[in-house]
Amino acid sequence: QNVGFGKQFKFFTLWSFLANFLVFSILFLSMIGVRIKIPDPLVAISTLMGIFTIILYWGLFFIDPNLVNYTAQWLNLFREYYLHLIGPLLLVVEGFLFTRAFKNFFNITLCAAVINFGYFSWIELVVARFNEFPKGTITNGLPYPFMNDMGISERLIFSASCFIFGIFFIWLFTTIQKTLPVVR
């Protein structure tokens, strides 16, 4: 449901999609000769956002589709797969094999902290205050139905867990990238 305050910007998928679009646009412009350089941490964090979109969305979807979609309001199948699987996977290939963006653990972690806590602050402090839907057993207005059934302490733990999980992936990807051959 894209009505109400925040429209699509309530959803992490859109944040990820916009980051992917920005990165792909800059990479395309540099490929055709425009002198523009995108910082590696931006490519890396956009890649991670896509990976998190895949893991969180499909993980919750396979538990119960209504945890991430409002009842009977799913996207068509092509959009579902593009937004939550194909698009993010394309950037994974770019980020690992071509750009090799996973170089600086600290800079990527700093970007992850800004994105993670920025997103959760946005939905907690702004989106939930100006939306009544979806309704939950504890609160209303948070974009994902399952979050409205969690207390504030549970949501804070969820936010911190996402960040810690992200740090693990940053460490894993910076370690893996060191072993990958350079593709030209």
Side-chain angles (χ1 to χ4, degrees):
Q1 172 137 350
N2 296 327
V3 296
F5 183 81
K7 298 210 178 252
Q8 295 93 337
F9 290 97
K10 297 185 268 190
F11 302 101
F12 185 77
T13 298
L14 184 67
W15 283 43
S16 175
F17 182 72
L18 289 174
N20 288 334
F21 179 75
L22 174 69
V23 167
F24 276 129
S25 296
I26 293 171
L27 291 171
F28 176 75
L29 289 173
S30 65
M31 185 180 79
I32 62 170
V34 176
R35 290 183 181 228
I36 190 167
K37 174 73 173 127
I38 188 166
D40 288 338
L42 184 57
V43 176
I45 201 62
S46 183
T47 301
L48 285 167
M49 290 171 74
I51 289 168
F52 267 69
T53 297
I54 292 169
I55 293 170
L56 292 172
Y57 182 84
W58 291 107
L60 291 168
F61 183 90
F62 287 124
I63 291 169
D64 178 359
N66 292 323
L67 292 174
V68 288
N69 294 303
Y70 306 126
T71 305
Q73 294 184 353
W74 297 4
L75 299 173
N76 70 48
L77 193 60
F78 177 75
R79 282 179 82 189
E80 197 81 61
Y81 281 104
Y82 177 75
L83 289 174
H84 302 109
L85 185 64
I86 297 166
L89 286 178
L90 289 172
L91 193 55
V92 169
V93 171
E94 173 64 40
F96 271 109
L97 298 180
F98 299 109
T99 306
R100 299 185 59 85
F102 289 90
K103 295 177 185 116
N104 189 312
F105 175 84
F106 178 76
N107 287 347
I108 299 167
T109 301
L110 186 61
C111 289
V114 169
I115 296 293
N116 184 79
F117 296 113
Y119 175 73
F120 281 107
S121 295
W122 159 250
I123 64 172
E124 286 287 342
L125 301 174
V126 180
V127 171
R129 292 186 187 269
F130 296 104
N131 288 287
E132 288 296 316
F133 183 81
K135 295 190 180 297
T137 57
I138 296 176
T139 191
N140 300 321
L142 293 166
Y144 297 100
F146 77 94
M147 294 181 84
N148 293 292
D149 295 332
M150 300 167 78
I152 185 68
S153 60
E154 293 169 306
R155 293 192 309 270
L156 287 171
I157 291 169
F158 179 68
S159 171
S161 298
C162 287
F163 181 62
I164 292 166
F165 195 54
I167 291 172
F168 168 74
F169 271 97
I170 294 166
W171 170 82
L172 180 65
F173 294 162
T174 53
T175 303
I176 289 171
Q177 184 167 300
K178 291 175 188 172
T179 67
L180 293 175
V182 176
V183 176
R184 299 262 179 225

